[in-house]
Every structure is written in C-alpha cells, then in structure tokens.
Amino acid sequence: MCDTCGCNVTQGNRHLIEAGGKHEHTHDGKVAVEVLENLLSENDHQAGHNRQHFGNHGVLAVNLMSSPGSGKTSLLEATIDALNQEFRIAVIVGDLETENDAERIRSKGISAVQITTGTACHLDAHMVHSALHQLNLDDLDIVFVENVGNLVCPASFDLGQHLNVTLLSVTEGDDKPAKYPVIFRAADAILISKSDLLPYLDDFKPERAEQAIRHLASEAPVLNLSARNSSTLDNWLTWLRKAFTIQDARRAAGETTKPKIQPEGEKLHAHG
C-alpha cells in the first residue's frame, strides 16, 4: 500500500524535501529509498522530542489506532464522561478531511486539536508536534491521539506517544488480526469495540479474535467493551489508570517508554 500511495510525505514533513529543505539533495539511482529513509529518521527524531515534551509535563500520551468506523471517537467520548473529574484530558484528532470528530470532543468541554492530513493515511511526529503547540501541557494529565482510520500505516510511525491501543470492531470480522497483523502486534492493549452488537452478529466470536491475536505472539490484554454501555468500560478505565500510574513512576525515575513500532511497517515504508 505505502509503496504506491506516497503516504510518507505529509504536510508535516514536506518542508524537509522541498527546495532548501534538509533532504532536498539525494544521489541518482537511490533517490526514493534515501528520501524515505531520511524522512523516517527525521520522524523518529521528532518523536523523541515530542515524548520529551510529554514527559516534562507529566503527561501520558496514548495513540488510538483502528480501521475507519470502529468507534474511536465514541470511546473517547465515553472515556471523557467517565474520567473527566479524575484526569485532565485533551485529544489530537487525525482525519483526511473535516473537523467532525474534534467538534464532538470539544462539545464535552475538552480541548481537541484537529489535524487534517489530506491524502496521508496516518499521522506523523511532525504533525503531532504542531498540534502540541496548541495545547497547554501543564494543564493536562492524558493526551489521546486519535490516529487516522487505517489498519496498516499508523503502526509504522512513532509519534512520541508512550502507548498504542488498537480497536477491533465486532462489525469488522474476527479474522482482522490475522489479515492485518502489524497493527495488532504494535498494540499495548486491544479493545474489541461495539460489543453491544454481538447478539446480532453470528460471524464474530471474541474468543476467535483473541486466538488470532495470540497467534501473533501478542500478550496485550484484550478487552471487550461498548461505548454505549458504561458498565462495560471498567476494565478499560482500570487499564488506563494503571498506565498513568506506571508512566508517572517512570517519569519520577527519569525514565520513559516507547511504543512498539513494527519493523515490517518500517520496511514497507522505506523500501519499494
């Protein structure tokens, strides 16, 4: 997919390869590979800078990844309702077009920065850095990054977050982890969303989905939930509280943690 769609070059990093940019000049015959490798290197450098920002301000950064329509925004709305008195939350939202999801988040009284990526099917660290300048990190505890809906590219880019969470909607089929292993291998937690629809779907079995995830050698917790039913959110909220406590302890010890960037994804983006 990424060998042909050109998604490595985004509005966030385009300045690096345009006239006068740091990587404007490359050698004949290896131009494409060198440019892509340079952009990935620049992305990782920017991601480290973003993570330092989060760490300096005691903020936990969580990247939400999934296919389009899996319920990321609905989950965020339900999470904000549940934790708004406990944590100071903000959201960075990525979409190809529109501010629809950011407006839904803002209606909860939460700061939300929309990034419209145009043709790019993922967020990158430069985009997230620009969004951070629109947030007051001193006033926040948790920043969620709602990545562009895509089961391939988002797993390949370090944004500066601490943790990755991947959603799998019951409407997508329980074989998605087998079909799109990279994004599920990158997850620190996997949420089977829209579980309220399970009684109406005879072709999705949560146990089959988890079996497919375990076949990927993933030990990430698999949590069933529905944003429409607050009683199903307890395990997710408990996981989030624990993640914040662990990250706070890391920060106090002068440490941090990085997301699981997938080598298969890096290879897809760097070599044609």
Side-chain angles (χ1 to χ4, degrees):
M1 180 175 180
C2 295
D3 294 340
T4 56
C5 74
C7 69
N8 288 277
V9 181
T10 70
Q11 64 186 26
N13 61 24
R14 190 178 302 278
H15 66 282
L16 294 168
I17 61 170
E18 289 181 337
K22 185 176 181 180
H23 300 297
E24 175 189 7
H25 300 293
T26 58
H27 301 294
D28 290 342
K30 297 189 295 182
V31 171
V33 170
E34 287 192 11
V35 167
L36 297 181
E37 288 179 339
N38 288 337
L39 288 180
L40 283 172
S41 176
E42 292 291 342
N43 182 81
D44 291 347
H45 178 75
Q46 183 64 66
H49 182 66
N50 293 349
R51 199 160 20 253
Q52 188 173 14
H53 268 311
F54 288 127
N56 289 344
H57 296 274
V59 173
L60 172 68
V62 180
N63 179 34
L64 299 182
M65 304 182 293
S66 76
S67 61
S70 65
K72 294 190 296 295
T73 307
S74 295
L75 174 67
L76 285 169
E77 291 174 314
T79 302
I80 291 164
D81 287 341
L83 297 181
N84 199 22
Q85 301 301 313
E86 189 174 344
F87 294 107
R88 300 167 296 175
I89 296 171
V91 181
I92 297 170
V93 184
D95 270 318
L96 270 66
E97 298 289 346
T98 85
E99 289 211 0
N100 293 352
D101 292 345
E103 288 173 357
R104 286 172 57 181
I105 298 298
R106 292 180 193 129
S107 72
K108 296 287 184 181
I110 296 295
S111 295
V113 180
Q114 179 73 52
I115 301 172
T116 51
T117 63
T119 57
C121 52
H122 64 277
L123 295 177
D124 66 25
H126 290 89
M127 294 176 181
V128 170
H129 183 253
S130 296
L132 291 185
H133 284 290
Q134 300 177 56
L135 296 172
N136 185 352
L137 294 180
D138 282 332
D139 290 340
L140 298 172
D141 298 311
I142 300 175
V143 170
F144 290 102
V145 179
E146 182 181 349
N147 217 313
V148 176
N150 182 350
L151 282 177
V152 180
C153 308
S156 302
F157 291 85
D158 185 357
L159 308 178
Q161 77 275 33
H162 300 110
L163 297 169
N164 286 330
V165 173
T166 299
L167 277 69
L168 169 62
S169 165
V170 300
T171 59
E172 297 177 61
D174 50 27
D175 59 350
K176 278 293 186 294
K179 290 181 175 179
Y180 298 91
V182 173
I183 205 160
F184 289 93
R185 286 197 187 107
D188 295 288
I190 297 168
L191 310 183
I192 296 180
S193 60
K194 303 186 181 181
S195 63
D196 56 304
L197 297 178
L198 281 172
Y200 310 102
L201 301 170
D202 59 6
D203 58 350
F204 189 102
K205 302 297 182 187
E207 57 270 23
R208 283 206 302 253
E210 182 164 358
Q211 186 178 36
I213 291 165
R214 299 307 175 216
H215 282 167
L216 303 176
S218 169
E219 298 180 351
V222 178
L223 311 175
N224 296 342
L225 57 80
S226 168
R228 294 185 175 185
N229 184 347
S230 59
S231 66
T232 67
L233 297 178
D234 288 349
N235 288 339
W236 158 241
L237 300 176
T238 297
W239 181 88
L240 201 54
R241 292 185 181 103
K242 183 177 179 181
F244 181 83
T245 299
I246 291 173
Q247 178 55 29
D248 198 44
R250 286 194 194 102
R251 183 182 63 84
E255 301 172 352
T256 189
T257 187
K258 295 175 63 176
K260 300 174 183 176
I261 303 303
Q262 293 301 286
E264 299 98 325
E266 289 181 346
K267 184 177 179 180
L268 280 171
H269 286 81
H271 303 285

